[in-house]
Amino acid sequence: MKAIQARPGNPEGIDIGEFGQTLCLYSETMPWGQFNAVKGLKGSDIGYLDDILRFYRERERKPQLEIVPSGVDQTLLKALTDRGFYSSAVHTSMYIDLAVLEQLEDKRFSAKRDEMEPDMILESTEKGFESNVIISALEEDQLPLYATIHCRGTGLPDDGIPSVLANNSVLYNRPGWSFYLASVDGQPAAVGVMYRHGAVASLTFAATLPEFRKLGLQGLLLEQRLRAAREQGCKLVVGQCAFLSQSHRNMERAGMKIGYIRSTWTQR
């Protein structure tokens, strides 16, 4: 969000508020929850709750609260309920210690790993899938394609494509960011993104066009990013997904484990 905010003129209208240990994100032009999220709210910050809600009310936006159960208590949860919030979704934070990754190779998705260099052709033998899949590093001139897959793969309207393109163009050339594209028989189909900081890599985003789902593409993109993280000297990889979703299953199949569960709270 800070990178988006730093664009000349701050065209997305990014504002970031801090209340105690709680971080409040806001975007004037992007109404979606991830850009208007409250992060790090704990029971110790209950005294800031009304200030946090005022931050969004003054901007005419309903926030998405990301709650980690270990950091809250009944008093805070009741206060949220009293103010019209309800638990609307559950997400899982996953992790893998890359020191054990080699031990899990025989349990991974089918691919000719022994012949493979980074960003080379992978041949999937997933049931019902006989097409050739190419996992490649996304080129800068393919960012418009990335933005299209990003929006259509997550259900965002096409009018969000220009914002996604502009924001990720900022990230593309920043240190630590890696973008990957999966193509099926030459047709762009899915994307995956990773951010590395020191010895930790984060699986920041992934999406598949609806017509290419259930082909194992996200499993292959996940493998590529885990491999790249290991080659770049990372020791730990983390990621988030909806609880018990296909992404959750993909991550567990790749050897990732549950770190913690968080709930999303939405205002009525």
Side-chain angles (χ1 to χ4, degrees), residues 109 122 124 126 129 131-135 182-184 187-191 207-209 211-225 250:
F109 297 89
L122 307 183
S124 173
E126 292 273 323
F129 184 49
S131 303
N132 286 328
V133 178
I134 297 178
I135 307 295
S183 300
V184 178
Q187 297 296 313
V191 293
T208 302
L209 291 174
E211 59 267 34
F212 290 104
R213 288 174 183 162
K214 299 184 179 180
L215 299 181
L217 300 181
Q218 285 304 327
L220 295 172
L221 280 165
L222 177 58
E223 280 200 325
Q224 173 62 35
R225 287 178 289 170
N250 286 342

Side-chain angles (χ1 to χ4, degrees), residues 116-158:
M116 190 166 56
E117 297 293 335
D119 307 332
M120 293 294 286
I121 294 178
L122 307 183
E123 296 181 1
S124 173
T125 57
E126 292 273 323
K127 183 178 180 181
F129 184 49
E130 300 177 352
S131 303
N132 286 328
V133 178
I134 297 178
I135 307 295
S136 60
L138 187 86
E139 300 294 337
E140 190 167 8
D141 62 4
Q142 292 177 310
L143 280 169
L145 177 61
Y146 166 85
T148 300
I149 296 175
H150 181 123
C151 289
R152 295 178 181 175
T154 57
L156 294 178
D158 279 3

Side-chain angles (χ1 to χ4, degrees), residues 49-50 53 62-63 65 76-88 265-268:
L49 183 56
D50 289 329
L53 299 183
K62 290 185 177 181
L65 276 61
L76 178 58
L77 296 179
K78 183 179 184 302
L80 293 177
T81 302
D82 291 343
R83 287 161 176 77
F85 284 85
Y86 65 95
S87 180
S88 57
W265 286 64
T266 304
Q267 196 170 21
R268 290 184 177 85

Side-chain angles (χ1 to χ4, degrees), residues 191-263:
V191 293
V193 185
M194 181 178 76
Y195 174 68
R196 178 183 62 82
H197 180 73
V200 180
S202 176
L203 309 174
T204 60
F205 182 79
T208 302
L209 291 174
E211 59 267 34
F212 290 104
R213 288 174 183 162
K214 299 184 179 180
L215 299 181
L217 300 181
Q218 285 304 327
L220 295 172
L221 280 165
L222 177 58
E223 280 200 325
Q224 173 62 35
R225 287 178 289 170
L226 291 176
R227 185 182 306 108
R230 183 172 57 184
E231 291 172 351
Q232 293 173 27
C234 292
K235 297 180 179 179
L236 181 71
V237 175
V238 299
Q240 291 193 6
C241 56
F243 184 64
L244 295 183
S245 63
Q246 183 60 51
S247 294
H248 187 159
R249 291 190 286 271
N250 286 342
M251 289 182 178
E252 286 199 333
R253 193 179 295 127
M256 300 185 75
K257 298 180 180 180
I258 295 177
Y260 63 89
I261 304 294
R262 71 165 176 82
S263 59

Side-chain angles (χ1 to χ4, degrees), residues 45-80:
D45 277 347
I46 191 171
Y48 295 106
L49 183 56
D50 289 329
D51 294 327
I52 291 169
L53 299 183
R54 187 179 304 110
F55 174 87
Y56 289 98
R57 188 165 57 249
E58 291 174 348
R59 292 159 178 79
E60 300 182 347
R61 185 61 48 80
K62 290 185 177 181
Q64 170 181 290
L65 276 61
E66 299 180 358
I67 303 296
V68 178
S70 61
V72 299
D73 52 25
Q74 292 184 6
T75 302
L76 178 58
L77 296 179
K78 183 179 184 302
L80 293 177

Side-chain angles (χ1 to χ4, degrees), residues 17-66:
E18 295 185 41
F19 301 88
Q21 300 181 63
T22 305
L23 189 68
C24 299
L25 307 178
Y26 165 80
S27 170
E28 180 181 1
T29 63
M30 298 184 289
W32 310 296
Q34 65 266 40
F35 296 104
N36 299 275
V38 176
K39 297 177 178 288
L41 180 61
K42 298 182 178 181
S44 58
D45 277 347
I46 191 171
Y48 295 106
L49 183 56
D50 289 329
D51 294 327
I52 291 169
L53 299 183
R54 187 179 304 110
F55 174 87
Y56 289 98
R57 188 165 57 249
E58 291 174 348
R59 292 159 178 79
E60 300 182 347
R61 185 61 48 80
K62 290 185 177 181
Q64 170 181 290
L65 276 61
E66 299 180 358

